[in-house]
Amino acid sequence: MAKIRNTTRQKTKTIAERRNDPTKRGGGASARAAHDDQQVTALKLKPAPLSPAMADLFKLCEQKLGFVPNVFKAFAFDMSKLEGFVGYRNAVMQGESGLSKVEQEMIATAVSTQNRCYYCVTSHGASVRGLSGDPILGEQIVMNYRAADLDQRQRAMLDFAVKLTVEPWTVEESDREGLRRAGFSDRDIWDIAAIAGFFNMTNRIASAIDMRPNSQYHAMGR
Amino acid sequence: MAKIRNTTRQKTKTIAERRNDPTKRGGGASARAAHDDQQVTALKLKPAPLSPAMADLFKLCEQKLGFVPNVFKAFAFDMSKLEGFVGYRNAVMQGESGLSKVEQEMIATAVSTQNRCYYCVTSHGASVRGLSGDPILGEQIVMNYRAADLDQRQRAMLDFAVKLTVEPWTVEESDREGLRRAGFSDRDIWDIAAIAGFFNMTNRIASAIDMRPNSQYHAMGR
Amino acid sequence: MAKIRNTTRQKTKTIAERRNDPTKRGGGASARAAHDDQQVTALKLKPAPLSPAMADLFKLCEQKLGFVPNVFKAFAFDMSKLEGFVGYRNAVMQGESGLSKVEQEMIATAVSTQNRCYYCVTSHGASVRGLSGDPILGEQIVMNYRAADLDQRQRAMLDFAVKLTVEPWTVEESDREGLRRAGFSDRDIWDIAAIAGFFNMTNRIASAIDMRPNSQYHAMGR
Amino acid sequence: MAKIRNTTRQKTKTIAERRNDPTKRGGGASARAAHDDQQVTALKLKPAPLSPAMADLFKLCEQKLGFVPNVFKAFAFDMSKLEGFVGYRNAVMQGESGLSKVEQEMIATAVSTQNRCYYCVTSHGASVRGLSGDPILGEQIVMNYRAADLDQRQRAMLDFAVKLTVEPWTVEESDREGLRRAGFSDRDIWDIAAIAGFFNMTNRIASAIDMRPNSQYHAMGR
Amino acid sequence: MAKIRNTTRQKTKTIAERRNDPTKRGGGASARAAHDDQQVTALKLKPAPLSPAMADLFKLCEQKLGFVPNVFKAFAFDMSKLEGFVGYRNAVMQGESGLSKVEQEMIATAVSTQNRCYYCVTSHGASVRGLSGDPILGEQIVMNYRAADLDQRQRAMLDFAVKLTVEPWTVEESDREGLRRAGFSDRDIWDIAAIAGFFNMTNRIASAIDMRPNSQYHAMGR
Amino acid sequence: MAKIRNTTRQKTKTIAERRNDPTKRGGGASARAAHDDQQVTALKLKPAPLSPAMADLFKLCEQKLGFVPNVFKAFAFDMSKLEGFVGYRNAVMQGESGLSKVEQEMIATAVSTQNRCYYCVTSHGASVRGLSGDPILGEQIVMNYRAADLDQRQRAMLDFAVKLTVEPWTVEESDREGLRRAGFSDRDIWDIAAIAGFFNMTNRIASAIDMRPNSQYHAMGR
């Protein structure tokens, strides 16, 4: 089967290099979109040939979203890492859950904004807007989830996720009891913890390597 | 001369009360927009008759923006407070300055996102998008200004404003020297300080009273 | 009408410059007082001719206090900024209020000490001493308001103002309810928020430009 | 093929319940070891039958370590989650890398101690001791990696990992340049980021559910 | 030899109890001074008979200061603790040192204000004023030592003491090198560390038991 | 009587110097142990002749522990400082107390790990293990005392000690009341405060001078 090369590294300069290159500055919005779409990270890592499964995933993304999320391109220098990441992400975010899809994305967004992660706030904020059909809700979770008019259940869920993000060492049985009182099962608590944990990971990978969100996210669900 | 009553308090329940009222919950995006537009703050303060100057201001806002910013409605329970606020705001934000309009709004947005202020991030993020013609830049300042591809001058400006926001007691001559090296005059340093200070004030007023941004801001400049 | 020039910039060296000038060091208390009184800020901004209203204000200050507060001199490079600042300050601090004058100054001092602002702690600490006739109370608010033997109302007021200073994004309806239970009206809550916000602004302007308090403040109300 | 049930939930009381049960308290070291080994988490989640691959993994752990790490048991309520986690962990920690095994475990330990995670500090501290043959080094990374007598390369690596843990939003090109100057390739930077990110995830899952380390870890490598 | 009883516990109500007793509130400055002088701490600990050495110390304090510092009264429930404390304090603060007396008190004050300790800021702020003959310097160290016009040596000394107070785990050889470059010997570095450490201890004891400073301190050295 | 010289400074290079000396690096565990045992601190301070009392103490340590704790050697450049320190330490840690020995060491360890002090976590973690006969308990207090299965009394004790360490300015009567409800007398509260305060001091002295724990501590009580 033919290998498909992804296009992560077509340009030779990373964003960080461009920042030091005054001749390349400016151009405003379209320039900004262009380099977010072309310079996925600050690391010079050569993309590997896509495995069949990952080629299928990339095609599926193109069909459904119109683009391949840059996080996948960032991992694509090594198929074992990309496949491991995708597999775990699916296990965390796509199995059966007592949490709705929009609730899962609210956790992702609230955690990511706590960590001020440009990539993840952009992409998951878009998901909250899209899944809820409510662009204002998406903005509120991005800016300060406490300003959103949430019900007690969702509020308890985000309070737990943010506490777990900011000072995980203080989480104790009383916190879990609070979730149970708000209607969550132990299985749901696992999901909240796993999702909050997952984005505490991706936020840090994205920040470490200056991962840039696809420009299309910004307008989605407005 | 006829007084004009503003419409801040037509509904009797504040947002905070609605949060405890399950029968009023839901309705998604349009409901969320409606109460941000109608319940400006969590305080029950009766609007005062607008003074002629303030009536003119409100008319001008309607003409130029299509709405009166809720921050003005929030102050409108007392004309001396509204006029004092507007006067100082104009002195800070509308005099001659070595900072461009979009730079001023970048400071406002970066400070407000540091303080996680829903009202100010919404309204000034919209201004950055509108004035720059670059919606991605606006999102970057909202999410993490360090992710924006700024030139050294703007970066130094925002670094100073954010340091002044987070730990003002550590700002010293070396910080001012850094601004001078980046090309700012002492007069410019005043403006950066005054604008950063101003939004550290409005952020706290807005958070203290749960001030809600007009729903129109969310879609502006996208 | 004759313009009155203020005297902010009679010396040519700022404090910051003197710090690097070993020949000018020393002289102890009187030297320290002298430069706080003569070098109002670290910025070299030429004072503008005072407008009639501001000239009247400066005269009034001389008559009542024996000096013009340096914060006014700091703004006096531009009459529109000085007048805007004075107008808003009066709207915040001098209108009718359910808060007593000393309570307003307690908020100003507690906020300013949280932000470790030399100018504002000095000047508003002096006001607490003067208005209360109780120098120990003034010191307690400067050092740690929790050590003062306050009644529940004043304690709730300062707890709110300090929380709003330190982590404004966490202030919610339950905090406002706490103030209401302590006897504050919604109008009072506005004043607490407006005063706390105002000094979060001035603290940052003062720190940004190394604003120096008039030496007279230190001995007032002892 | 025969399913193998793991034994995570043989006792009916979680640790959290025991804490409220005075009759069950005490017993000292052996009691403490016993419940860490038998009550893996605070959640009541029924173990699922092990898939063949996971049964093989558990057998391998028994053979090599003498026990199955509790983190695997914690995920074992759902084979898709356990397999997803193990797959990603192997991709992060077991591929080729410019980092040595002990360096990878030093990152895991330094991140985990920053997050004060009992499970991960215990298990990865044991790995540092074991892999380095140097129990003092293991203790230093647990207590304060700055006290360890590291070379510049390892010190830069841990400084980056800890900064990424504590304030990921401040990581920028200058931080990556620091790693490059210390001898790390872009591929190595990925690994440092991925490992630091991974343990920021597991630390939070462990804290969220009170995951208990197998008692055997404590004595390993002493 | 006759034992001398100190008078720490003549009143039966602690300050904390008075705070809940509305009938005892008020009285302003003199009442505030009175209870600081009579209710030394929030703990009900019976004073022990003074040992001869401690009786001599108390007499000496009365002669030199006009009062016995409340910190001594607070320890006086147990002569071995009082004598141990006084002995160590003398070893830290009264031996030969490359630091002047006022420098030692500047460290004490800067550390104590970082920890917002009412007792220690009051008493050591008074010492800075008294020893320097410069009340403004005393206020600056209380409010923000960075605002004081210090020479490089004293500035380096306080920067080190405050860093050691706020995040001691980050202090390393480069910090010690900074002190050496500023002219301090290794022996001086010991003294800075020992004094900063000592007040990090007393600040916490004072805060833990609500130790009240003798009212006389407030007016000293003004 | 013959003076006994201690051996703190037999080698000429401090640890800090060795860190910059690549030829001296490596050697793993035994090298690491050797320099912790021989280079007690980063300061070059010549040991003074031991006074008779201190010589007796050192002999007693050798007999009971097999070594003289490095903290004593660190103070031994000046007998008055060593004797003052030992005297106060004995007053704090060795008088009668309502706290058991292991509880005292739990406070020492929990405070020290909050301050990430290599010396004190090592030495007092060893004491918790030794006195409790429970190595797992020792590890839990080192890593996160909240993970230990403590009874309410010990938990309240450590919560107070850690709060007093992290934000002493917020400790108030309600905190003391919490200790009283958990069964502590006012005399016990003193001891908790004094011990927590004491280690906030020693942590900072140790961090300031890079004090190294005797290598023997690491294996004690395992």
Side-chain angles (χ1 to χ4, degrees):
Chain A
M1 178 190 159
K3 300 290 181 184
I4 299 172
R5 286 188 65 88
N6 73 54
T7 58
T8 312
R9 299 268 342 300
Q10 291 175 333
K11 293 191 93 164
T12 52
K13 290 209 168 184
T14 65
I15 296 158
E17 289 168 333
R18 287 197 50 235
R19 282 183 190 157
N20 296 323
D21 183 350
T23 69
K24 290 288 173 51
R25 187 165 305 289
S30 59
R32 212 171 293 272
H35 77 64
D36 273 15
D37 291 332
Q38 291 167 354
Q39 288 299 333
V40 175
T41 80
L43 301 186
K44 299 196 176 183
L45 296 176
K46 195 177 154 181
L50 290 173
S51 66
M54 294 299 100
D56 287 349
L57 173 68
F58 277 39
K59 271 186 220 158
L60 188 68
C61 290
E62 289 281 6
Q63 288 165 5
K64 289 183 62 171
L65 289 173
F67 59 90
V68 177
N70 284 345
V71 65
F72 294 155
K73 293 185 188 171
F75 275 84
F77 68 94
D78 179 327
M79 282 303 107
S80 71
K81 292 190 191 299
L82 177 58
E83 294 189 338
F85 176 76
V86 169
Y88 184 51
R89 169 186 162 278
N90 291 351
V92 172
M93 299 291 284
Q94 299 191 339
E96 271 186 53
S97 175
L99 308 182
S100 69
K101 283 286 166 211
V102 70
E103 285 172 341
Q104 295 181 26
E105 293 293 335
M106 287 165 68
I107 296 172
T109 306
V111 165
S112 300
T113 205
Q114 195 64 46
N115 290 328
R116 302 189 189 280
C117 174
Y118 172 47
Y119 185 95
C120 303
V121 177
T122 297
S123 58
H124 294 281
S127 296
V128 173
R129 293 194 304 269
L131 289 165
S132 67
D134 185 349
I136 296 181
L137 177 65
E139 292 297 271
Q140 290 170 332
I141 306 298
V142 165
M143 291 169 188
N144 185 351
Y145 75 95
R146 297 172 192 87
D149 190 21
L150 304 174
D151 61 26
Q152 276 196 323
R153 183 180 181 277
Q154 293 181 342
R155 177 61 193 261
M157 176 186 83
L158 295 184
D159 281 344
F160 185 90
V162 168
K163 182 176 185 182
L164 191 60
T165 297
V166 177
E167 36 178 17
W169 53 87
T170 66
V171 172
E172 296 194 71
E173 185 63 10
S174 57
D175 298 292
R176 287 181 290 270
E177 278 302 324
L179 288 179
R180 290 180 188 120
R181 275 194 307 275
F184 292 102
S185 69
D186 276 25
R187 184 62 185 68
D188 297 335
I189 295 174
W190 175 278
D191 282 350
I192 297 171
I195 296 169
F198 188 80
F199 289 97
N200 270 289
M201 176 182 68
T202 61
N203 293 171
R204 284 175 175 82
I205 295 176
S207 293
I209 66 173
D210 196 19
M211 195 187 292
R212 314 298 293 185
N214 307 64
S215 65
Q216 293 94 328
Y217 282 122
H218 295 289
M220 286 169 68
R222 298 286 177 194
Chain B
M1 177 188 159
K3 301 290 181 184
I4 298 172
R5 287 186 64 88
N6 73 53
T7 57
T8 312
R9 299 266 347 298
Q10 291 176 333
K11 295 191 91 165
T12 51
K13 290 207 169 186
T14 66
I15 294 159
E17 290 169 333
R18 287 199 50 235
R19 282 183 189 157
N20 297 323
D21 184 349
T23 70
K24 290 288 172 50
R25 187 166 305 288
S30 60
R32 211 172 294 271
H35 77 64
D36 272 14
D37 291 331
Q38 291 167 354
Q39 289 298 334
V40 175
T41 81
L43 301 185
K44 299 196 176 183
L45 296 176
K46 196 176 153 182
L50 290 173
S51 67
M54 294 298 100
D56 287 349
L57 173 69
F58 277 39
K59 271 187 219 159
L60 189 68
C61 290
E62 290 280 6
Q63 288 164 7
K64 288 183 62 172
L65 288 173
F67 59 89
V68 177
N70 283 346
V71 65
F72 293 155
K73 292 186 187 170
F75 275 85
F77 69 93
D78 180 326
M79 282 304 107
S80 71
K81 292 189 190 300
L82 177 58
E83 294 188 339
F85 176 76
V86 168
Y88 185 51
R89 169 184 163 279
N90 291 351
V92 172
M93 299 291 285
Q94 300 190 337
E96 271 186 52
S97 175
L99 309 182
S100 69
K101 283 287 165 212
V102 70
E103 286 172 340
Q104 296 182 26
E105 293 293 335
M106 285 165 70
I107 297 172
T109 305
V111 165
S112 300
T113 206
Q114 195 65 47
N115 290 328
R116 304 188 188 280
C117 174
Y118 172 46
Y119 185 95
C120 304
V121 177
T122 298
S123 57
H124 293 281
S127 296
V128 174
R129 294 193 303 270
L131 289 165
S132 67
D134 185 349
I136 295 181
L137 177 65
E139 293 297 272
Q140 289 170 333
I141 307 298
V142 165
M143 291 169 187
N144 186 350
Y145 75 95
R146 296 172 194 86
D149 188 22
L150 303 174
D151 62 25
Q152 276 196 323
R153 184 179 180 275
Q154 293 182 341
R155 177 60 193 262
M157 176 187 83
L158 295 185
D159 281 344
F160 185 89
V162 167
K163 182 176 184 182
L164 191 60
T165 297
V166 177
E167 36 178 18
W169 52 88
T170 65
V171 172
E172 295 194 72
E173 185 62 12
S174 57
D175 299 292
R176 288 181 289 271
E177 277 303 324
L179 289 178
R180 289 180 189 120
R181 274 194 306 275
F184 292 102
S185 69
D186 276 26
R187 185 64 185 68
D188 297 334
I189 295 174
W190 175 278
D191 282 350
I192 297 170
I195 296 169
F198 188 81
F199 289 98
N200 270 288
M201 176 183 68
T202 61
N203 293 171
R204 284 175 175 82
I205 295 176
S207 293
I209 66 174
D210 195 18
M211 194 186 293
R212 314 298 293 187
N214 307 64
S215 64
Q216 292 94 330
Y217 281 121
H218 295 290
M220 287 169 67
R222 299 286 177 196
Chain C
M1 178 188 161
K3 300 291 180 185
I4 298 172
R5 286 188 65 88
N6 74 54
T7 58
T8 312
R9 300 265 344 298
Q10 290 176 333
K11 294 190 91 165
T12 52
K13 289 209 169 185
T14 65
I15 296 159
E17 289 168 334
R18 287 199 50 234
R19 282 183 190 158
N20 297 323
D21 184 349
T23 70
K24 290 289 172 50
R25 188 163 304 288
S30 61
R32 211 171 293 271
H35 75 64
D36 273 13
D37 292 331
Q38 291 167 355
Q39 289 299 333
V40 175
T41 80
L43 302 185
K44 299 197 175 182
L45 296 176
K46 196 177 154 181
L50 289 173
S51 66
M54 294 299 100
D56 288 350
L57 173 68
F58 277 38
K59 272 186 218 158
L60 188 68
C61 290
E62 290 281 5
Q63 289 165 5
K64 288 184 63 172
L65 289 173
F67 59 89
V68 177
N70 283 347
V71 64
F72 294 155
K73 292 185 188 171
F75 275 83
F77 69 93
D78 179 327
M79 282 303 108
S80 71
K81 292 191 191 299
L82 177 58
E83 294 189 339
F85 176 76
V86 168
Y88 184 51
R89 169 185 163 279
N90 291 352
V92 172
M93 298 292 284
Q94 299 191 339
E96 273 188 51
S97 174
L99 310 181
S100 70
K101 283 286 166 212
V102 70
E103 286 172 340
Q104 295 182 28
E105 293 293 336
M106 286 165 70
I107 296 172
T109 305
V111 165
S112 300
T113 205
Q114 195 66 44
N115 290 328
R116 303 189 188 281
C117 174
Y118 172 47
Y119 186 95
C120 304
V121 177
T122 298
S123 59
H124 294 281
S127 295
V128 173
R129 295 193 304 269
L131 289 165
S132 68
D134 185 349
I136 295 180
L137 177 65
E139 293 297 272
Q140 289 171 333
I141 307 297
V142 165
M143 291 169 188
N144 185 351
Y145 74 95
R146 297 172 193 85
D149 189 22
L150 304 174
D151 61 26
Q152 277 196 322
R153 183 180 180 277
Q154 293 181 341
R155 176 60 193 261
M157 177 186 82
L158 294 185
D159 281 344
F160 185 89
V162 168
K163 182 176 185 182
L164 191 60
T165 297
V166 177
E167 36 178 16
W169 53 87
T170 65
V171 172
E172 297 195 71
E173 185 63 11
S174 57
D175 299 292
R176 288 181 289 271
E177 277 303 324
L179 288 178
R180 290 181 189 119
R181 273 195 308 275
F184 293 102
S185 69
D186 276 25
R187 184 65 185 67
D188 297 335
I189 295 174
W190 175 277
D191 282 352
I192 298 170
I195 296 168
F198 188 80
F199 289 97
N200 271 288
M201 177 182 67
T202 61
N203 292 170
R204 284 175 175 82
I205 295 176
S207 294
I209 66 174
D210 196 19
M211 195 187 291
R212 315 297 294 185
N214 308 65
S215 65
Q216 294 93 329
Y217 283 121
H218 295 289
M220 288 168 67
R222 299 285 177 194
Chain D
M1 176 189 159
K3 301 291 181 184
I4 299 173
R5 287 187 65 86
N6 74 52
T7 57
T8 312
R9 299 269 343 300
Q10 292 177 331
K11 294 192 91 164
T12 52
K13 290 209 169 184
T14 66
I15 295 157
E17 290 168 333
R18 286 197 52 233
R19 282 183 189 158
N20 297 324
D21 183 350
T23 68
K24 290 288 172 52
R25 187 164 305 289
S30 60
R32 210 172 295 271
H35 76 65
D36 273 14
D37 291 332
Q38 292 167 353
Q39 290 299 332
V40 175
T41 81
L43 300 186
K44 299 197 174 181
L45 296 176
K46 197 177 154 180
L50 290 173
S51 67
M54 294 299 100
D56 287 349
L57 173 68
F58 277 38
K59 271 186 220 159
L60 189 68
C61 290
E62 290 281 5
Q63 288 164 7
K64 289 183 62 172
L65 288 174
F67 59 90
V68 177
N70 283 347
V71 65
F72 293 155
K73 293 185 187 170
F75 274 84
F77 68 94
D78 179 326
M79 282 303 107
S80 71
K81 291 189 192 301
L82 177 58
E83 294 188 339
F85 175 76
V86 168
Y88 185 51
R89 168 185 164 279
N90 291 351
V92 172
M93 300 290 284
Q94 299 190 339
E96 270 186 54
S97 176
L99 309 181
S100 70
K101 283 287 165 211
V102 69
E103 286 172 339
Q104 296 182 26
E105 294 293 335
M106 285 165 69
I107 296 172
T109 305
V111 165
S112 300
T113 204
Q114 196 64 48
N115 290 328
R116 302 188 188 282
C117 173
Y118 172 46
Y119 186 95
C120 304
V121 178
T122 298
S123 56
H124 294 281
S127 295
V128 174
R129 295 192 303 269
L131 289 165
S132 67
D134 185 347
I136 295 181
L137 177 64
E139 292 297 271
Q140 289 170 335
I141 306 297
V142 165
M143 291 170 187
N144 186 351
Y145 74 95
R146 297 172 194 86
D149 189 22
L150 303 174
D151 61 26
Q152 276 197 323
R153 182 180 181 276
Q154 293 182 341
R155 177 58 194 263
M157 175 187 83
L158 295 185
D159 281 344
F160 185 90
V162 167
K163 183 177 184 181
L164 191 61
T165 298
V166 176
E167 36 178 17
W169 52 88
T170 65
V171 172
E172 296 194 72
E173 185 62 11
S174 56
D175 298 292
R176 287 180 290 271
E177 277 303 324
L179 289 178
R180 290 180 188 121
R181 273 195 308 275
F184 292 102
S185 69
D186 276 25
R187 184 64 184 67
D188 297 335
I189 295 175
W190 174 279
D191 282 351
I192 298 171
I195 296 169
F198 187 81
F199 289 97
N200 270 288
M201 176 182 68
T202 61
N203 292 170
R204 284 175 175 82
I205 295 176
S207 294
I209 66 173
D210 196 19
M211 195 188 291
R212 315 298 293 187
N214 307 65
S215 65
Q216 293 93 329
Y217 282 122
H218 295 290
M220 288 168 67
R222 300 286 178 194
Chain E
M1 178 190 158
K3 301 291 182 184
I4 299 172
R5 288 187 64 87
N6 74 54
T7 57
T8 312
R9 297 267 346 296
Q10 291 176 332
K11 294 193 90 164
T12 52
K13 290 207 169 186
T14 65
I15 294 158
E17 290 170 332
R18 285 198 52 232
R19 283 185 189 156
N20 297 323
D21 183 350
T23 69
K24 290 288 172 52
R25 187 165 304 289
S30 61
R32 210 172 294 272
H35 76 64
D36 273 14
D37 291 331
Q38 291 168 355
Q39 290 298 333
V40 175
T41 81
L43 301 185
K44 299 196 175 183
L45 297 176
K46 196 176 153 182
L50 289 173
S51 66
M54 294 299 101
D56 287 349
L57 173 68
F58 278 38
K59 270 186 219 159
L60 189 68
C61 290
E62 290 281 6
Q63 288 164 7
K64 289 184 63 172
L65 289 174
F67 59 91
V68 177
N70 283 347
V71 65
F72 294 155
K73 292 185 187 170
F75 274 84
F77 68 94
D78 179 326
M79 283 303 108
S80 72
K81 292 189 192 300
L82 177 58
E83 294 188 338
F85 176 76
V86 169
Y88 185 50
R89 168 186 164 277
N90 291 351
V92 172
M93 300 290 285
Q94 299 190 339
E96 271 186 53
S97 175
L99 310 181
S100 70
K101 283 286 166 211
V102 69
E103 286 172 338
Q104 296 182 25
E105 294 292 335
M106 286 165 69
I107 296 172
T109 305
V111 165
S112 300
T113 205
Q114 195 65 46
N115 290 327
R116 303 188 188 281
C117 174
Y118 172 47
Y119 185 95
C120 303
V121 177
T122 297
S123 58
H124 294 280
S127 296
V128 174
R129 295 192 304 269
L131 289 165
S132 67
D134 186 348
I136 296 180
L137 177 65
E139 293 296 272
Q140 289 170 333
I141 306 298
V142 165
M143 291 169 188
N144 185 352
Y145 75 94
R146 297 172 193 87
D149 189 22
L150 304 174
D151 61 26
Q152 276 197 323
R153 183 179 180 276
Q154 293 182 341
R155 177 61 193 261
M157 175 187 84
L158 295 186
D159 281 344
F160 184 90
V162 167
K163 182 176 185 182
L164 191 60
T165 298
V166 176
E167 36 178 17
W169 52 88
T170 66
V171 172
E172 296 194 71
E173 185 63 11
S174 58
D175 299 292
R176 287 181 290 271
E177 277 303 323
L179 289 178
R180 289 180 189 119
R181 273 195 306 275
F184 292 102
S185 69
D186 276 25
R187 185 63 185 68
D188 297 334
I189 295 174
W190 175 279
D191 282 351
I192 298 171
I195 297 169
F198 188 81
F199 290 97
N200 271 288
M201 175 182 68
T202 61
N203 292 171
R204 285 175 174 81
I205 295 176
S207 293
I209 66 174
D210 196 19
M211 195 188 292
R212 315 296 293 186
N214 307 65
S215 65
Q216 292 95 328
Y217 283 121
H218 296 289
M220 287 169 68
R222 300 284 178 195
Chain F
M1 176 188 162
K3 300 292 180 184
I4 299 172
R5 287 188 62 88
N6 73 53
T7 57
T8 311
R9 301 269 342 301
Q10 291 177 332
K11 294 190 94 164
T12 51
K13 290 210 169 184
T14 65
I15 295 159
E17 290 168 332
R18 287 199 49 234
R19 282 183 190 157
N20 297 323
D21 184 348
T23 69
K24 290 288 173 51
R25 187 165 305 290
S30 59
R32 212 172 293 271
H35 77 64
D36 273 14
D37 291 332
Q38 290 168 355
Q39 289 299 333
V40 175
T41 81
L43 301 185
K44 299 197 175 182
L45 296 176
K46 196 177 152 180
L50 290 173
S51 67
M54 294 299 99
D56 287 350
L57 173 69
F58 278 38
K59 272 187 218 158
L60 188 67
C61 290
E62 290 280 6
Q63 290 164 6
K64 287 184 63 172
L65 288 173
F67 59 89
V68 177
N70 283 346
V71 65
F72 294 155
K73 292 185 187 169
F75 274 83
F77 68 93
D78 179 326
M79 283 302 108
S80 72
K81 292 190 192 298
L82 177 59
E83 294 189 338
F85 175 76
V86 168
Y88 185 50
R89 169 185 163 279
N90 291 351
V92 172
M93 299 291 284
Q94 300 191 337
E96 272 187 52
S97 175
L99 309 181
S100 69
K101 283 286 167 212
V102 69
E103 285 171 340
Q104 296 182 27
E105 293 293 336
M106 286 164 69
I107 296 172
T109 305
V111 165
S112 300
T113 205
Q114 194 65 46
N115 290 328
R116 303 189 187 281
C117 174
Y118 172 48
Y119 185 95
C120 303
V121 177
T122 297
S123 58
H124 294 280
S127 295
V128 173
R129 294 193 304 269
L131 289 165
S132 67
D134 185 348
I136 296 181
L137 177 66
E139 293 296 272
Q140 289 171 333
I141 306 297
V142 165
M143 291 169 188
N144 185 352
Y145 74 95
R146 296 172 194 86
D149 189 21
L150 303 174
D151 61 26
Q152 276 196 323
R153 183 180 181 276
Q154 293 181 342
R155 176 60 193 261
M157 176 186 83
L158 294 185
D159 281 343
F160 185 91
V162 168
K163 182 177 184 181
L164 191 61
T165 297
V166 177
E167 37 178 14
W169 52 89
T170 66
V171 172
E172 295 193 72
E173 185 64 12
S174 57
D175 298 293
R176 288 181 290 271
E177 278 303 325
L179 289 178
R180 290 179 188 120
R181 273 195 307 275
F184 292 102
S185 69
D186 276 25
R187 184 65 184 68
D188 297 335
I189 295 174
W190 175 278
D191 282 350
I192 298 170
I195 296 168
F198 187 81
F199 288 98
N200 270 288
M201 176 182 68
T202 60
N203 293 170
R204 284 175 176 81
I205 295 176
S207 294
I209 66 173
D210 195 20
M211 194 187 291
R212 315 297 294 186
N214 307 65
S215 65
Q216 293 93 331
Y217 282 122
H218 295 289
M220 288 169 66
R222 299 286 177 194

